[in-house]
Amino acid sequence: MTIDPYSHTPVYVQLADLIRERIESGDLAAGAPVGTELQLSQEHGIGRDAVRMAISLLRSEGLVTTTRPMGTRVREVPQRRQVELRPGATVVARMPSGKERRTMQLDEGVPILEVRNPGGEVEVLPGDEVELTRPER
Amino acid sequence: MTIDPYSHTPVYVQLADLIRERIESGDLAAGAPVGTELQLSQEHGIGRDAVRMAISLLRSEGLVTTTRPMGTRVREVPQRRQVELRPGATVVARMPSGKERRTMQLDEGVPILEVRNPGGEVEVLPGDEVELTRPER
DNA sequence: ATGCATTTGTCCGTATGTATA
DNA sequence: GTATACATACGGACAAATGCA
């Protein structure tokens, strides 16, 4: 698979698709480096901006994290703990605001679960750490 | 409020914060343009890179959408419909893959709710359109 | 139906700062 | 301490997509 600069899909989306596929297929395991910006730029014959936007997109999907100076690696997804949904509760999923992300120390690309319990109490849960359950009975 | 290039918080984060506040306060209503890259660049005396990064950040939070050549507008959030969680079901929230996002026609920054019903059937729901409920009884 | 104007997409160059192996 | 690699930020240039006259 190679990147087609003449395609109607943006180059950075194509690169993100390539890397995402390698991650989801297991070719790139958790913790594995996806390559430096320079490497990716040269390997695929595309510009710096495109590489950075591709990486940024994957970060926003929660697939990779970038640290200095180790570069970008496949993100290790934490174990999910089970959270039981109480009767009468409602849940919405959304992305955190910038402030929320910083105060909750969430990686980019991690959604939030907002659980509204009867009585009005609201729980805000990191979406990558929990699995909601409605028990059998 | 104005942008301080000497602050320790990056210029693009400051701009994103400014725009986010205008959206959340209702100053910028759904569908309203947030301004072109050039406008924002000139108004705040910052580079186009910083503007693009700010917009990109807001996109990843699901607050705005960008199309060419209409620019970036405040995203219209759909009405949420209620979805009842069946007994024995479990739910996880995650970001969609690029392919999922495109086939489900989701905007950037919209999480997915993956409902696993007893029996193994899996439902994939757009996170901005549903509110999960566990009924009182 | 053709073309123009607008706006983002993409490329490139440069520079400084910062975290960490 | 040094080298590495990204983060931030500025600048310029051309390409491509789309709404509209």
Side-chain angles (χ1 to χ4, degrees):
Chain A
M1 214 2 198
T2 166
I3 286 180
D4 173 16
Y6 301 106
S7 163
H8 48 77
T9 64
V11 170
Y12 78 94
V13 175
Q14 293 183 56
L15 176 57
D17 287 347
L18 276 182
I19 298 174
R20 191 185 304 104
E21 201 157 325
R22 292 188 59 198
I23 294 175
E24 283 167 358
S25 75
D27 182 21
L28 285 175
V34 305
T36 71
E37 292 179 352
L38 187 62
Q39 276 172 16
L40 293 170
S41 169
Q42 290 174 342
E43 279 170 19
H44 298 94
I46 63 180
R48 234 178 37 237
D49 287 11
V51 172
R52 285 179 65 76
M53 292 182 72
I55 300 293
S56 169
L57 190 56
L58 294 173
R59 261 202 307 268
S60 81
E61 292 173 11
L63 290 180
V64 300
T65 51
T66 303
T67 53
R68 273 181 304 190
M70 295 99 78
T72 301
R73 290 163 181 276
V74 179
R75 189 162 163 267
E76 328 233 0
V77 275
Q79 183 95 33
R80 290 179 189 268
R81 68 177 192 274
Q82 297 209 325
V83 172
E84 187 181 317
L85 207 57
R86 308 228 288 266
T90 63
V91 187
V92 300
R94 60 172 176 81
M95 295 310 286
S97 75
K99 188 183 284 183
E100 280 175 323
R101 201 181 67 240
R102 292 190 284 270
T103 59
M104 295 179 70
Q105 297 193 307
L106 298 176
D107 282 337
E108 267 187 67
V110 176
I112 270 192
L113 286 168
E114 206 173 80
V115 180
R116 196 169 307 267
N117 285 311
E121 175 225 355
V122 175
E123 277 177 283
V124 178
L125 304 171
D128 64 336
E129 291 178 18
V130 304
E131 178 181 62
L132 298 177
T133 65
R134 175 183 176 180
E136 205 71 59
R137 70 258 202 50
Chain B
M1 219 350 207
T2 167
I3 287 179
D4 173 17
Y6 300 106
S7 163
H8 292 296
T9 64
V11 169
Y12 78 94
V13 175
Q14 293 182 56
L15 176 58
D17 287 346
L18 275 183
I19 298 175
R20 192 185 304 105
E21 201 157 324
R22 291 189 60 199
I23 294 175
E24 282 166 359
S25 76
D27 182 22
L28 284 174
V34 305
T36 71
E37 294 177 354
L38 187 62
Q39 273 173 19
L40 293 170
S41 167
Q42 291 173 341
E43 279 170 18
H44 298 94
I46 63 180
R48 194 181 162 208
D49 280 12
V51 173
R52 284 178 66 77
M53 292 178 72
I55 299 293
S56 169
L57 193 54
L58 295 173
R59 260 202 309 268
S60 79
E61 291 173 13
L63 291 180
V64 301
T65 52
T66 303
T67 52
R68 194 163 40 161
M70 294 99 79
T72 300
R73 290 163 179 276
V74 179
R75 205 169 144 258
E76 327 232 3
V77 273
Q79 182 96 34
R80 289 182 189 267
R81 67 176 192 274
Q82 296 209 326
V83 172
E84 186 181 317
L85 208 58
R86 308 227 288 266
T90 62
V91 187
V92 300
R94 61 173 174 81
M95 293 311 284
S97 74
K99 188 183 285 185
E100 281 175 322
R101 200 178 64 240
R102 288 190 285 275
T103 60
M104 296 179 69
Q105 297 194 304
L106 297 177
D107 285 332
E108 264 185 67
V110 176
I112 270 192
L113 286 168
E114 206 173 81
V115 180
R116 197 168 307 267
N117 285 310
E121 175 224 356
V122 175
E123 275 177 285
V124 178
L125 304 171
D128 63 338
E129 291 178 18
V130 305
E131 178 181 62
L132 297 178
T133 65
R134 175 182 176 181
E136 204 72 57
R137 53 165 314 99

